[in-house]
Amino acid sequence: MRKYDYAECIEISKRVRWDIDRDVIRGRTFDFSKKFLPDGISKVAQFDFLNEEQKRFLSQIQGRTYANMFGFVERFIVAKILEITRAHWLGDQVALEALVRFCDEELKHQELFRRIEPMIDIGMPEGYRFLPEPNQVAAAVLKNSTWAVLGLILEIELFTQEHYKQSIEADQDLSDLYKDVFLFHWKEETTHAIMDELEWPREDQKLTADERDRAVTELIGIVADVDGILQAQSLADVEYFRNALNASFRAEEIDLLRSGVLAAYRWQYIFSGVEHPRYQEALRSLITESQAQRINEALAPLLN
Ligand SMILES: [Fe+2]
Ligand SMILES: [Fe+2]
């Protein structure tokens, strides 16, 4: 894989830069007669007992949660990347500018996701809840070592790109505005993963073998915490779906909805990032075989 540097990140950042109103929203509203998340991400096709209208609604609920998830993870991403800039304050000014642009973009992305939440709310029945509180989760994540937090950040930024390129871009039947939100988001995300790939090994060099081993344990703990969030939010989303539809599903269908949406969220937020070839390459270059095994053992139960 070709390696980029900070100067190229600045160049790309300048070239793709967009404005929330002028480029993304453009006075438009969400089209609720269309899906938000494509089937490749929402995995709604697995629910063969749902009709097309119900599948579309479930994709819109998942799409709303998906946008809210980005808005909240970007809270701790900015905090950590800002902290990392410190190492460049009196050094590489090109790296500093690239990382400041990274933070500036993530602040704008949070604003975009805050802006669209009420625009989605007006088109959906009452009762939706997004459970994670951004500042609380950010504070908990940031208690971990920088190495572990960078491991999480790279994972997130790789799946962001993967979802857009593999599923959202190709789907012609999504709400135009929803699709554009993630088109423009993706454009500015491409440099973020590159910078994470530069900063993670830099951080790694500061650690002793013992410190790195503890950081691996922390990374496993963070993934378990993420999974706790996914369990709670998937359950809330399924309850909202059932209440809003007022449909009577059989007990086994309710079980399938709960386990299926949780599995979809685990794929969206954990496995599509962890299994990304660039993630595996970055992680494997830093850890030992036995540490890789510890990570795999921790992830295995989440695949069920
Ligand atoms: Fe972002
Ligand atoms: Fe990002």
Side-chain angles (χ1 to χ4, degrees):
M1 191 192 65
R2 169 162 137 55
K3 298 285 183 199
Y4 288 83
D5 61 24
Y6 291 105
E8 286 167 301
C9 290
I10 294 173
E11 195 273 312
I12 296 167
S13 165
K14 285 179 177 168
R15 181 155 42 83
V16 303
R17 185 160 186 85
W18 45 263
D19 176 81
I20 291 177
D21 285 296
R22 193 188 60 228
D23 301 308
V24 186
I25 299 181
R26 286 185 265 144
R28 294 177 294 172
T29 53
F30 288 97
D31 181 353
F32 288 88
S33 71
K34 302 266 187 70
K35 284 181 173 166
F36 285 8
L37 273 189
D39 293 1
I41 298 178
S42 68
K43 315 287 185 195
V44 295
Q46 66 179 311
F47 305 117
D48 52 15
F49 53 90
L50 298 182
N51 62 34
E52 282 313 304
E53 204 178 316
Q54 291 168 332
K55 284 179 186 166
R56 185 177 68 219
F57 182 46
L58 188 53
S59 113
Q60 291 169 353
I61 297 170
Q62 287 202 33
R64 184 173 181 180
T65 289
Y66 189 75
N68 281 324
M69 282 284 190
F70 279 105
F72 113 83
V73 298
E74 289 177 343
R75 189 69 53 92
F76 64 76
I77 292 177
V78 171
K80 179 49 72 182
I81 301 300
L82 272 178
E83 186 191 293
I84 281 176
T85 64
R86 175 178 278 272
H88 300 287
W89 283 2
L90 303 181
D92 182 346
Q93 299 298 290
V94 175
L96 180 59
E97 180 182 342
L99 291 165
V100 167
R101 284 177 172 276
F102 179 160
C103 293
D104 181 49
E105 287 159 2
E106 295 291 34
L107 287 166
K108 182 178 65 182
H109 300 173
Q110 289 182 63
E111 186 192 341
L112 172 64
F113 295 123
R114 275 198 304 274
R115 285 277 302 279
I116 64 169
E117 166 55 28
M119 295 169 64
I120 295 176
D121 183 66
I122 51 164
M124 285 170 80
E126 274 180 32
Y128 171 86
R129 288 182 311 147
F130 184 70
L131 303 174
E133 206 289 301
N135 290 327
Q136 225 169 42
V137 176
V141 169
L142 295 170
K143 281 189 183 134
N144 295 286
S145 63
T146 293
W147 191 98
V149 178
L150 280 174
L152 175 66
I153 293 176
L154 175 62
E155 191 266 333
I156 292 168
E157 302 197 294
L158 286 173
F159 77 60
T160 311
Q161 292 179 52
E162 186 70 6
H163 294 175
Y164 181 75
K165 284 315 272 180
Q166 297 302 325
S167 302
I168 301 176
E169 183 181 51
D171 198 321
Q172 301 305 316
D173 296 319
L174 306 178
S175 156
D176 287 342
L177 177 54
Y178 192 85
K179 191 170 170 166
D180 273 354
V181 165
F182 286 95
L183 162 66
F184 285 95
H185 187 237
W186 166 77
K187 284 182 186 217
E188 286 186 349
E189 284 293 325
T190 56
T191 60
H192 296 181
I194 295 167
M195 288 184 264
D196 300 333
E197 285 167 330
L198 292 167
E199 290 297 327
W200 200 11
R202 263 177 62 90
E203 178 63 23
D204 184 76
Q205 283 171 7
K206 300 179 195 162
L207 303 188
T208 64
D210 281 351
E211 286 168 337
R212 184 175 307 101
D213 201 58
R214 278 197 295 277
V216 168
T217 305
E218 287 175 351
L219 182 57
I220 290 170
I222 293 176
V223 174
D225 291 343
V226 169
D227 192 60
I229 289 171
L230 301 182
Q231 291 189 35
Q233 188 62 41
S234 61
L235 197 59
D237 287 354
V238 170
E239 294 323 293
Y240 170 66
F241 174 71
R242 289 175 53 212
N243 290 336
L245 283 180
N246 210 4
S248 55
F249 292 110
R250 296 205 308 272
E252 58 266 36
E253 291 171 341
I254 295 170
D255 284 346
L256 283 172
L257 279 169
R258 286 178 179 156
S259 60
V261 173
L262 174 58
Y265 286 8
R266 282 171 164 170
W267 179 81
Q268 286 166 27
Y269 303 105
I270 298 176
F271 291 102
S272 60
V274 170
E275 291 170 355
H276 195 291
R278 279 171 65 187
Y279 193 76
Q280 284 298 318
E281 189 188 327
L283 179 67
R284 290 302 183 114
S285 72
L286 306 180
I287 62 174
T288 63
E289 193 51 48
S290 81
Q291 286 164 343
Q293 208 174 330
R294 277 211 288 139
I295 293 172
N296 287 338
E297 280 166 12
L299 288 171
L302 309 186
L303 273 174
N304 296 319

